[in-house]
Amino acid sequence: QVQLVESGGGLVQPGGSLRLSCAATGIAFSIYRMDWFRQAPGEEREFVASIDSIGNTNVADSVKGRFTISRDNAKKTAYLQMNNLKPEDTAVYYCKARYRLKDYWGQGTQVTVSS
């Protein structure tokens, strides 16, 4: 069955960096667009970044210049490199795989930015 597993979250100080990974099984990974979303307590889930099957990327204005999305089709893994983290980046981060109208979500990984 389809499974997306996020990893790499944790506690980091403001200004620090983390790299999140999203490992996929059960899908033809290379044809899927991969997205990262996040959800802070009491907030709506919001878009963070996406990368399509040919490597075109889109990043939310709130993280532009700090976050980078990438993918390794051979490893069936998408990444979110997060630099210069801020307390407002604290959230559960989710990856999503989308092909046509079919979406698959991971279980999320917690990122906490605090001193």
Side-chain angles (χ1 to χ4, degrees):
Q1 74 275 19
V2 178
Q3 195 171 20
L4 300 179
V5 179
E6 299 98 333
S7 61
L11 173 64
V12 63
Q13 292 186 342
S17 297
L18 285 173
R19 187 176 82 153
L20 305 183
S21 300
C22 173
T25 56
I27 59 172
F29 180 81
S30 63
I31 66 172
Y32 279 73
R33 190 184 87 192
M34 298 301 297
D35 299 340
W36 286 96
F37 285 75
R38 67 185 182 185
Q39 188 167 20
E43 301 288 333
E44 298 282 320
R45 192 171 295 190
E46 66 172 359
F47 169 80
V48 177
S50 68
I51 183 166
D52 68 15
S53 60
I54 58 172
N56 296 310
T57 62
N58 186 28
V59 180
D61 288 343
S62 59
V63 304
K64 198 163 290 184
R66 301 187 297 120
F67 290 13
T68 303
I69 188 171
S70 61
R71 66 190 297 157
D72 185 332
N73 289 337
K75 294 182 178 180
K76 295 189 174 184
T77 301
Y79 303 97
L80 185 68
Q81 177 67 44
M82 307 185 295
N83 298 327
N84 190 21
L85 282 159
K86 304 176 180 181
E88 52 263 41
D89 296 317
T90 294
V92 178
Y93 284 71
Y94 299 89
C95 67
K96 183 182 81 171
R98 164 166 277 203
Y99 178 66
R100 294 184 178 173
L101 296 181
K102 183 163 288 187
D103 290 343
Y104 299 102
W105 289 89
Q107 83 291 345
T109 185
Q110 175 71 47
V111 171
T112 303
V113 185
S114 175
S115 54

